[in-house]
């Protein structure tokens, strides 16, 4: 998996920097080409001479070479690399990465990185659990960075707890898993619906719902970061997509969404239906604004909208993977299973409005993934980007077999 891969190894100034030498050796042994970028503090813990000898390349640390004035281009490194691993990542480096404080070569390289970035934090347990560190780690996750969670155990301070940098073998495993998913998803066509739909009543009013589109967009961004060819069909939302290569088609109503989906779905390898589609639309749309005067009330006649998931599901080809969402308030598992069957889906992502971490407009979600064969995988409350990663990791077994 790592043979021929270009990896930038960023090393910051923590005791665990000595383990970076071993990590570097493992990466080289697996056939990767590694360019080390080290922070000024990192050099206090491990010498550039050791790292240059192991990597076979001069170590980059300063913006300019002291003797020649030659500029070290972080932009070129960003273009060269297939993966950037920051190990160890100190609280300070994580904070700078999360906030774009580009005062050393490692951070400028990170800010220019086009490739996936992976971070292995290393610090004392109190620093790790400090709200500031946790906030910064969450920001990095939201930005699509893979965090190799620190392990628990003996710490350099003599204390014991969570904060030890994960062992080099585990970091290599995470890198291999990243490339394996990338290989599987590269070129795979993925269609995602996101956001609410608005069903017009008259030129100024509509029937809508509270969906923000955050979950669907997070799934789109995660798929795109893993190399998939992504199309998002989005209802009216107020958020932006951060993946540059994602195709976005904006629609308003369920009918429009259905029409656009039908154009794309037949060609897709994976279809994820995360939109909160309105089930009903007004039978007629008034051409002019409905006035209040002259009536005590009004009755709105509604007609059923197309069920996009069921429509696309009925035309599903062998080999396609369809994933739906079920936001339930009661009898969650039974309702989810019914939808899975009726809409001919392979997986349904269940979340419950009874969970405070789940639901509309939130930045977090708590899901259970239910498969067509009835297996249920429950996950803890996580950021929507992390939930997206869990969904894709769960599908991954399916994808690699197709
Ligand atoms: O039946 P329910 O609306 O709860 O089903 C939810 C799933 O079906 C979601 O995946 C949603 O995107 C999809 N759906 C749809 N078209 C509809 C209603 C729901 O695609 N009209």
């Amino acid at each position: 998996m790592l043979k021929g891969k270009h990896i930038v190894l960023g090393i910051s100034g923590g005791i665990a920097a000595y383990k970076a030498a071993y990590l570097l050796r493992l990466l080289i042994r697996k056939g990767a080409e590694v360019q080390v970028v080290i922070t000024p503090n990192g050099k206090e813990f491990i010498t550039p001479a050791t790292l240059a000898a192991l990597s076979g390349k001069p170590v980059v640390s300063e913006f300019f070479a002291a003797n020649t004035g030659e500029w070290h281009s972080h932009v070129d490194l960003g273009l060269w690399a297939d993966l950037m691993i920051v190990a160890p990542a100190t609280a300070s480096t994580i904070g700078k990465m999360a906030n774009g404080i580009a005062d050393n070569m490692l951070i400028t390289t990170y800010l220019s990185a086009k490739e996936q970035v992976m971070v292995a934090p290393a610090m004392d347990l109190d620093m790790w659990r400090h709200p500031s560190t946790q906030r910064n780690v969450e920001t990095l996750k939201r930005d699509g960075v893979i965090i190799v969670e620190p392990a628990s155990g003996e710490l350099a301070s003599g204390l014991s707890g969570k904060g030890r940098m994960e062992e080099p073998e585990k970091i290599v495993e995470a890198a291999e898993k990243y490339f394996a998913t990338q290989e599987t998803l590269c070129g795979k066509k993925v269609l995602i619906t996101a956001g609410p739909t608005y069903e017009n009543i008259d030129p100024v009013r509509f029937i809508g719902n509270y969906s923000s589109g955050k979950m669907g967009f997070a799934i789109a961004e995660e798929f795109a970061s893993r190399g998939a060819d992504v199309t998002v069909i989005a209802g009216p939302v107020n958020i932006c997509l951060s993946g540059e290569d994602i195709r976005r088609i904006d629609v308003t109503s369920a009918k429009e969404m259905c029409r656009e989906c039908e154009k794309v779905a037949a060609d897709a390898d994976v279809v994820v239906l995360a939109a909160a589609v309105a089930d009903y639309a007004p039978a007629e749309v008034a051409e002019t604004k409905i006035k209040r005067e002259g009536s005590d009330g009004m009755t709105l006649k509604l007609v059923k909208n197309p069920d996009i998931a069921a429509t696309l599901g009925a035309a599903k080809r062998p080999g396609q993977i369809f994933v739906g969402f079920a936001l339930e308030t009661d009898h969650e598992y039974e309702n989810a299973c019914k939808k899975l069957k009726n809409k001919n889906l392979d997986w349904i992502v269940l979340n419950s409005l009874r969970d405070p971490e789940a639901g509309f407009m939130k930045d977090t979600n708590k899901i259970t993934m239910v498969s067509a064969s009835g297996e249920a995988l429950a996950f803890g409350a996580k950021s929507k980007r992390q939930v997206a990663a869990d969904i894709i990791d769960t599908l991954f077994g399916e994808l690699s077999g197709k």
Side-chain angles (χ1 to χ4, degrees):
M1 267 306 147
L2 297 182
K3 200 164 171 40
K5 297 289 186 220
H6 292 174
I7 297 177
V8 168
L9 176 59
I11 301 175
S12 61
I15 310 273
Y18 78 90
K19 286 197 205 167
Y22 188 53
L23 171 62
L24 171 54
R25 230 176 83 203
L26 285 180
L27 293 170
I28 299 278
R29 231 187 252 157
K30 296 253 177 187
E33 247 189 82
V34 184
Q35 172 63 62
V36 174
V37 180
I38 191 164
T39 64
N41 273 337
K43 288 191 283 187
E44 303 288 334
F45 291 90
I46 184 163
T47 68
T50 304
L51 299 164
L54 289 172
S55 67
K57 288 183 198 299
V59 168
V60 174
S61 180
E62 313 301 330
F63 291 109
F64 296 95
N67 48 351
T68 61
E70 185 198 353
W71 182 57
H72 292 136
S73 170
H74 47 88
V75 180
D76 286 352
L77 272 183
L79 294 174
W80 173 82
D82 300 307
L83 176 68
M84 178 175 184
I85 303 176
V86 184
T90 58
S92 162
T93 287
I94 289 172
K96 287 180 188 177
M97 288 171 77
N99 294 286
I101 300 170
D103 66 350
N104 65 47
M105 199 55 195
L106 191 157
I107 308 294
T108 49
T109 304
Y110 167 65
L111 292 180
S112 317
K114 298 238 178 309
E115 69 281 12
Q116 176 66 50
V117 179
M118 190 175 273
V119 160
M123 64 199 77
D124 208 41
L125 77 163
D126 292 315
M127 292 176 85
W128 171 251
R129 65 182 170 210
H130 195 279
S132 158
T133 306
Q134 288 305 312
R135 209 166 40 239
N136 289 330
V137 168
E138 271 315 304
T139 302
L140 290 186
K141 283 185 188 169
R142 259 203 309 279
D143 291 343
V145 171
I146 298 171
I147 306 290
V148 182
E149 288 282 318
S152 289
E154 211 178 290
L155 299 162
S157 61
L159 298 171
S160 183
K162 188 167 177 179
R164 281 169 68 91
M165 185 177 89
E166 190 45 285
E167 292 306 321
E169 288 83 356
K170 287 274 167 55
I171 299 173
V172 169
E173 250 172 51
E176 284 177 325
K177 183 178 155 211
Y178 163 72
F179 284 117
T181 328
Q182 192 80 8
E183 208 157 273
T184 308
L185 285 170
C186 193
K188 284 271 185 299
K189 295 197 174 90
V190 180
L191 164 64
I192 295 159
T193 66
T197 63
Y198 285 0
E199 312 299 332
N200 285 348
I201 299 170
D202 69 13
V204 292
R205 303 179 181 98
F206 59 83
I207 296 174
N209 61 64
Y210 292 118
S211 171
S212 60
K214 285 180 184 171
M215 192 64 245
F217 278 25
I219 296 170
E221 286 160 5
E222 188 63 28
F223 262 117
S225 79
R226 297 190 191 199
D229 172 359
V230 182
T231 302
V232 174
I233 300 185
V237 292
N238 285 318
I239 54 171
C240 296
L241 264 171
S242 63
E244 281 167 25
D245 302 327
I246 301 174
R247 206 170 307 107
R248 173 172 171 175
I249 300 167
D250 289 301
V251 297
T252 305
S253 67
K255 277 205 192 100
E256 264 181 86
M257 186 177 273
C258 193
R259 240 185 347 257
E260 293 302 326
C261 282
E262 282 181 307
K263 289 183 203 162
V264 182
D267 222 21
D269 298 295
V270 184
V271 177
V272 182
L273 300 140
V277 185
D279 288 324
Y280 295 91
E284 280 173 32
V285 182
E287 273 181 24
T288 54
K289 187 178 170 191
I290 299 170
K291 296 282 185 290
R292 187 155 47 130
E293 294 78 22
S295 86
D296 287 338
M298 71 180 283
T299 304
L300 205 53
K301 180 162 190 261
L302 301 176
V303 290
K304 225 173 184 167
N305 263 333
D307 184 326
I308 302 170
T311 309
L312 303 182
K316 187 169 74 175
R317 286 186 285 106
Q320 285 186 306
I321 298 173
F322 276 44
V323 184
F325 271 73
L327 180 64
E328 302 294 333
T329 55
D330 57 279
H331 299 96
E332 287 90 343
Y333 181 74
E334 292 78 5
N335 287 335
C337 288
K338 257 188 236 158
K339 279 175 195 173
L340 191 85
K341 200 155 174 271
N342 294 343
K343 297 175 198 249
N344 196 24
L345 304 170
D346 301 286
W347 286 93
I348 198 146
V349 181
L350 167 64
N351 39 62
S352 168
L353 273 184
R354 286 196 285 188
D355 269 321
E357 298 97 345
F360 291 132
M361 290 187 285
K362 300 253 168 68
D363 288 322
T364 55
N365 204 353
K366 190 166 172 230
I367 62 160
T368 300
M369 286 190 70
V370 182
S371 75
S373 55
E375 70 184 299
L377 299 168
F379 298 86
K382 298 183 182 185
S383 72
K384 287 191 169 167
R385 183 66 188 247
Q386 202 57 42
V387 170
D390 287 341
I391 293 172
I392 298 172
D393 286 344
T394 306
L395 300 178
F396 174 61
E398 302 247 319
L399 286 166
S400 55
K402 309 230 162 172

